[in-house]
Amino acid sequence: MMPDKNKIQLAYLYFIPKPHKTGTPLRPIVSGMNTPTTKISKMLDRLIRPLFDQYVKQATIIDGVHLIRQLDKCVSLGLLKPTTHLCTFDITDLYTMLPQEESIAILKQFLIRFNQTHTRGMSINTIESLALKGGAMGSPFTLTLANIFIWHWEQKLVEKQKASNELYGRYIDDIFLTSNDSIESLHDMLENANNYHLNIKLTREVGSCVSFLDVQINNQDGNLITSVYHKEASEPYIVPFKSDHPRHIFENIITTSLLRAIRYFSTLQTFNHEIRALKLMLLYNSFPSRYIRHYLKKFFQQLSATSISILPMIHDENEYVLLRTKLLSKPTASEHARASRIATTLDNKRQNITVDPLVHTKVYKSQNSTVFNCPIIIHYTHENRYAHYKSTIHKAWFESFYRTPIMTTKLIVGSRNNPNLTKELVRHNPSKLHNR
């Protein structure tokens, strides 16, 4: 955790505009990548964040897919009624409003509450001391500290929602909940929550149709309708097809957009409308029509879709529902990341982790995997003339080391993008040479 005196720098402040909000306010960002306490902060985040993921997962939302699963569960239990109110609210300026000393005290309460008096051999007092040194706002540990602070703040809300058999979930500073009480009672509850803490102020939206993260949620007379939420200020710009990027990036743009659409859109009609909008966006960014058609068809063929006929689109509503149900049940990248973090705190032989099969899989894999522990990683700067560079290296590796012990070592060949105009024009911090 000792800082490198040759790389150490003071933190600096810069601002990013929010063009989607009235008046284009600025978002303050404190960059502390090379500050003296950065390594302490990273260590604390690796230590505490898996504990938060493990013990507070019932009240947290991981991503849009996780939220849709929770909503579908409410529908199956008959909890979504025509009069059910949907509510979203966000905490204003969470990071800048956190009182540090109080946050550290709540962190101590969190560890005691879940019987973590010694975490990986480190006592609570040691963690508290390190948090005071390395947990400054803007550091890597800020997110975890903010999550634990809000965990303490939201206890009354969580208990009330649980007692009323209502849905409650939080993603950092954004909260979603349902309510079958009167609109007056709901506003009173939110007004009381607004007074839980002097520094925590809420901006809320209540109705039958709300947006949360990138999901549009609509309660149409007790029927749940979900779709992708596009901000009004969003523009149809993606990586242009003519840009000098590895080819898999363009394929991934199409695949991830289709995957999100089929998971989010609850009806085939709205899904096909999104596909048409996606095609227009790709054409606008110089994607060839033949290229778009090829990867649309490839995506549906991988899903074993049988009703695409001539056009690369699904035409059967029942088949769409089956495909959507199948994809919704698969863990997302965010869920895999959280399960991997939780797995670092568990022991397969001593802990009961049968509740979450994904975490169990991660623990078993980490404790029984003896292969690929030390991969060899090769990076190169991408150029079009190196289009087949990866396959060439893998082929040479296989031909050279086939049937030798070194084949148990995993070879990873990655590419870096060429410096773009943004990197050339934006100066994050003056270099030391200029300071001299």
Side-chain angles (χ1 to χ4, degrees):
M1 292 189 295
M2 291 295 293
D4 186 345
K5 64 179 182 181
N6 296 318
K7 297 181 180 180
I8 195 170
Q9 292 178 331
L10 293 176
Y12 58 93
L13 176 69
Y14 65 97
F15 301 89
I16 296 178
K18 301 179 182 179
H20 61 284
K21 292 191 176 181
T22 305
T24 316
L26 298 176
R27 183 194 304 275
I29 306 292
V30 177
S31 177
M33 293 179 63
N34 295 313
T35 58
T37 59
T38 295
K39 291 185 178 180
I40 296 176
S41 182
K42 288 181 178 179
M43 185 274 294
L44 286 172
D45 190 57
R46 290 194 300 268
L47 195 70
I48 305 299
R49 190 174 179 183
L51 299 178
F52 175 83
D53 291 331
Q54 180 181 357
Y55 295 117
V56 196
K57 60 183 179 181
Q58 298 299 328
T60 55
I61 293 173
I62 305 172
D63 53 25
V65 174
H66 184 234
L67 173 60
I68 291 174
R69 287 202 208 105
Q70 298 295 320
L71 289 166
D72 286 341
K73 185 178 179 180
C74 287
V75 172
S76 64
L77 295 174
L79 301 177
L80 186 70
K81 304 173 183 178
T83 56
T84 300
H85 301 292
L86 307 177
C87 176
T88 65
F89 54 96
D90 68 285
I91 301 170
T92 307
D93 300 328
L94 172 60
Y95 293 133
T96 56
M97 289 291 103
L98 281 182
Q100 188 176 9
E101 291 187 1
E102 185 180 355
S103 299
I104 302 300
I106 291 173
L107 169 62
K108 195 172 181 179
Q109 294 177 30
F110 173 83
L111 295 173
I112 294 173
R113 165 80 176 272
F114 295 107
N115 197 27
Q116 296 293 325
T117 54
H118 282 78
T119 304
R120 300 189 193 179
M122 193 173 293
S123 67
I124 287 182
N125 292 333
T126 303
I127 293 174
E128 180 182 14
S129 176
L130 289 173
L132 287 170
K133 294 177 181 178
M137 298 302 107
S139 68
F141 186 51
T142 301
L143 173 61
T144 301
L145 195 61
N147 270 326
I148 292 175
F149 182 88
I150 299 301
W151 160 81
H152 180 267
W153 171 88
E154 69 185 357
Q155 291 301 301
K156 294 180 183 178
L157 269 178
V158 172
E159 291 300 323
K160 187 179 187 308
Q161 289 296 102
K162 186 177 179 180
S164 303
N165 209 16
E166 300 281 5
L167 177 61
Y168 176 94
R170 176 173 63 86
Y171 181 86
I172 309 177
D173 58 350
D174 294 317
I175 300 173
F176 175 86
L177 58 84
T178 61
S179 176
N180 284 289
D181 293 336
S182 64
I183 190 68
E184 293 79 11
S185 299
L186 177 58
H187 281 294
D188 288 341
M189 181 185 72
L190 296 178
E191 196 60 40
N192 290 332
N194 205 28
N195 297 321
Y196 286 170
H197 194 280
L198 183 64
N199 289 12
I200 303 299
K201 299 302 175 186
L202 310 176
T203 303
R204 61 181 179 257
E205 178 186 359
V206 180
S208 59
C209 182
V210 297
S211 60
F212 188 81
L213 301 180
D214 57 345
V215 185
Q216 186 83 22
I217 309 160
N218 192 359
N219 178 11
Q220 291 187 355
D221 298 324
N223 297 315
L224 176 66
I225 306 296
T226 59
S227 59
V228 174
Y229 171 66
H230 299 284
K231 291 184 178 180
E232 293 181 359
S234 65
E235 297 182 352
Y237 294 127
I238 54 176
V239 178
F241 190 79
K242 295 180 180 179
S243 63
D244 191 15
H245 283 76
R247 294 294 95 181
H248 70 270
I249 289 181
F250 305 110
E251 180 184 354
N252 290 345
I253 289 173
I254 297 176
T255 302
T256 54
S257 298
L258 289 169
L259 189 60
R260 182 177 73 157
I262 203 170
R263 281 170 163 169
Y264 282 25
F265 284 94
S266 52
T267 64
L268 177 60
Q269 181 181 1
T270 53
F271 170 75
N272 284 333
H273 180 77
E274 178 74 3
I275 297 303
R276 295 186 185 96
L278 173 62
K279 289 180 180 178
L280 290 174
M281 181 183 70
L282 294 171
L283 290 170
Y284 183 78
N285 289 275
S286 303
F287 280 64
S289 299
R290 182 177 296 180
Y291 186 92
I292 298 171
R293 180 183 177 84
H294 170 75
Y295 283 105
L296 283 174
K297 188 174 181 180
K298 179 181 177 181
F299 176 82
F300 291 122
Q301 285 177 341
Q302 288 175 341
L303 294 178
S304 301
T306 59
S307 65
I308 60 174
S309 66
I310 299 176
L311 297 176
M313 299 177 71
I314 300 176
H315 302 284
D316 185 79
E317 183 82 35
N318 293 328
E319 183 180 29
Y320 176 75
V321 171
L322 290 174
L323 289 176
R324 181 172 182 264
T325 303
K326 177 183 176 181
L327 290 176
L328 276 175
S329 64
K330 292 184 177 181
T332 62
S334 299
E335 290 173 312
H336 276 288
R338 185 185 70 164
S340 297
R341 290 194 299 267
I342 296 175
T344 62
T345 67
L346 299 177
D347 186 339
N348 194 26
K349 297 178 181 179
R350 294 181 294 177
Q351 297 276 358
N352 180 15
I353 56 173
T354 57
V355 176
D356 193 336
L358 187 58
V359 175
H360 177 80
T361 302
K362 299 292 183 182
V363 174
Y364 180 82
K365 183 177 179 180
S366 64
Q367 294 184 350
N368 293 276
S369 177
T370 58
V371 183
F372 302 152
N373 285 333
C374 298
I376 295 177
I377 304 175
I378 300 175
H379 280 103
Y380 68 96
T381 301
H382 169 76
E383 294 181 21
N384 283 333
R385 60 196 178 105
Y386 293 149
H388 304 288
Y389 191 62
K390 290 184 181 181
S391 58
T392 303
I393 292 180
H394 279 288
K395 182 180 179 181
W397 174 272
F398 182 81
E399 292 176 350
S400 301
F401 302 109
Y402 180 62
R403 290 183 177 178
T404 65
I406 202 171
M407 286 300 293
T408 60
T409 302
K410 187 175 185 179
L411 176 66
I412 301 174
V413 183
S415 59
R416 296 188 181 95
N417 293 332
N418 283 307
N420 55 33
L421 187 61
T422 302
K423 290 184 179 179
E424 292 294 330
L425 295 178
V426 175
R427 295 289 183 180
H428 293 296
N429 197 16
S431 65
K432 291 185 177 180
L433 292 176
H434 291 167
N435 290 337
R436 293 174 184 174

